[in-house]
Amino acid sequence: MRRLLLRAWVLCFLVLVWVLLWGDLSPANIVGGTIIAVAITVLLPLPPVPVEGRLHPLSLLKLVAWVIFQLLSSSVQVAWLAVRPGPPPLTAVLRVHLAVKSDLVLALAVNIINLTPGTIALEIDQTRRMIYVHVLDVGSDRAVNRFYTQVDQLQRLLVKTFERDADWQPSAEKEVDAS
């Protein structure tokens, strides 16, 4: 049932993207989007991604609000760095360990980091859960600590949203790999 709902969600999402790209909600665009969505999912199937936890809607709202706040505040900080007088900011590549269990949540964390102005993930060590992030403005210990604090908050919110220990059920694929 879960797999069928996921496929229906993907089809609806692809149809929505098609309609948004055309900019007109018409029956022809909906039918065309449906045909394209079915063709994409049948001819170009993605490998199944195991969903091992459970989604917690209230925690998801907190995560979304936190991400929006971080995007806005980081945008202001980067804009200030661009217009302020003085030398360019000091940049560095920082290593961060993420204690997330799922590859899906790891990918989501990296995407959120990449969306945040002033940061970009350069490398992901999937087995050790390490990411290497290029960070703009690491000129002080306070700025570096702020980055690590933001990543720690992101990690805690992701775990509360998707990977609570009480709901965690490792997929059969990981159990086979572990043995």
Side-chain angles (χ1 to χ4, degrees), residues 9-110:
W9 163 248
V10 169
L11 286 173
C12 290
F13 178 75
L14 289 173
V15 170
L16 174 68
V17 169
W18 182 264
V19 169
L20 290 174
L21 285 172
W22 281 100
D24 181 32
L25 181 64
S26 68
N29 279 340
I30 293 172
V31 170
T34 304
I35 292 169
I36 296 296
V38 169
I40 288 172
T41 56
V42 170
L43 298 176
L44 305 168
L46 291 172
V49 176
V51 178
E52 299 157 319
R54 209 179 106 215
L55 176 69
H56 296 272
L58 186 58
S59 295
L60 179 63
L61 287 174
K62 289 178 186 176
L63 174 66
V64 169
W66 183 85
V67 168
I68 289 170
F69 174 77
Q70 290 302 319
L71 292 176
L72 293 173
S73 64
S74 295
S75 295
V76 169
Q77 291 168 1
V78 170
W80 171 245
L81 289 172
V83 298
R84 75 181 170 116
L90 182 63
T91 64
V93 176
L94 302 177
R95 182 179 63 195
V96 179
H97 178 263
L98 293 177
V100 295
K101 302 171 192 171
S102 164
D103 291 340
L104 184 62
V105 175
L106 177 64
L108 182 59
V110 169

Side-chain angles (χ1 to χ4, degrees), residues 66 69-70 73-74 77-78 80-81 94 117 119 135-154:
W66 183 85
F69 174 77
Q70 290 302 319
S73 64
S74 295
Q77 291 168 1
V78 170
W80 171 245
L81 289 172
L94 302 177
T119 59
V135 181
L136 185 65
D137 189 26
V138 292
S140 68
D141 288 340
R142 184 172 161 241
V144 173
N145 289 336
R146 182 176 57 232
F147 168 74
Y148 282 119
T149 300
Q150 288 173 345
V151 172
D152 188 49
Q153 288 173 336
L154 172 62

